[in-house]
Amino acid sequence: MIAFVRGQVAAVTLSSAVLEVGGVGLELMCTPGTLATLRPGHSATLPTSMVVREDSLTLFGFADEDEKQIFELVQTASGVGPKVAQAITAVLAPDDLRRAIASDDVKTLTRVPGIGQKGAQRIILELKDRIGAPTGGRPAAAASSESWRDQVHQGLMGLGWTTRDAEKAVDAVAPEAGSSPDVGALLRAALRTLSKA
């Protein structure tokens, strides 16, 4: 339906971004990693997937086509809706998901909020023949040393964690940040620390 949206970023919230296209503000639900790359006032192009429900039309925005394809593919597994599909793309990079499914890695899939042991096994069984091999992946966007903490913190809160849990997770992954922090990788690491707790 709507394959991509190109326009000026009007606003960025904890879970979505508003892009102005021809005088109309379109709200796109995005992962924290995607939101971290957007700046209000700058233009952006995001691949999109529209989810049509009886009572809503929801646009989901993605960092790239690969992430969009993963989002759409995982929804073909029984029991996976748009919310869980978005959580999968937030926690796992497309190639990490491909590797987890190819190697029957249930533990990696259960790190995603909303996926338990049986759900992970079902996803592996249903997608193993269709997801393909890792493609080499995209390098995630780098962030300044101060802003990555806010972006990871906001991302965790957008996924439903409390402020206190988010602060603890950010502190736990701070040593991994280095001089050019990768917000997506740090967010995934923070989610791993929270899922262990």
Side-chain angles (χ1 to χ4, degrees):
M1 294 174 72
I2 297 176
F4 70 90
V5 172
R6 177 182 296 130
Q8 190 171 48
V9 179
V12 178
T13 69
L14 291 175
S15 58
S16 66
V18 177
L19 264 67
E20 186 181 331
V21 182
V24 177
L26 298 176
E27 184 177 28
L28 283 73
M29 306 307 290
C30 302
T31 64
T34 301
L35 292 171
T37 66
L38 303 175
R39 296 284 171 267
H42 291 78
S43 69
T45 301
L46 297 179
T48 58
S49 180
M50 181 178 260
V51 175
V52 180
R53 292 282 181 265
E54 196 174 289
D55 59 346
S56 68
L57 296 173
T58 309
L59 264 180
F60 289 84
F62 305 94
D64 57 30
E65 277 297 325
D66 195 22
E67 193 176 272
K68 172 185 171 178
Q69 288 169 357
I70 289 294
F71 173 83
E72 292 175 343
L73 179 67
V74 295
Q75 287 182 79
T76 64
S78 51
V80 179
K83 284 231 186 287
V84 172
Q86 188 176 37
I88 290 171
T89 59
V91 175
L92 300 171
D95 276 354
D96 292 340
L97 179 65
R98 290 186 182 100
R99 276 189 284 274
I101 290 174
S103 62
D104 294 333
D105 186 355
V106 171
K107 190 175 178 191
T108 293
L109 288 175
T110 57
R111 290 195 333 240
V112 177
I115 297 181
Q117 184 89 11
K118 286 184 179 172
Q121 290 168 339
R122 191 171 53 242
I123 289 169
I124 290 169
L125 180 70
E126 293 182 24
L127 299 183
K128 195 163 197 163
D129 297 332
R130 296 185 289 146
I131 198 156
T135 60
R138 66 185 189 281
S144 73
S145 55
E146 289 82 38
S147 69
W148 76 263
R149 294 181 76 92
D150 290 338
Q151 292 169 2
V152 171
H153 188 273
Q154 287 181 357
L156 292 170
M157 290 180 60
L159 289 169
W161 296 97
T162 65
T163 301
R164 206 169 91 194
D165 287 341
E167 284 169 2
K168 282 183 188 170
V170 168
D171 291 340
V173 300
E176 299 174 35
S179 58
S180 57
D182 173 346
V183 173
L186 288 165
L187 178 63
R188 286 189 283 278
L191 285 165
R192 280 194 294 276
T193 66
L194 287 166
S195 65
K196 286 177 194 165

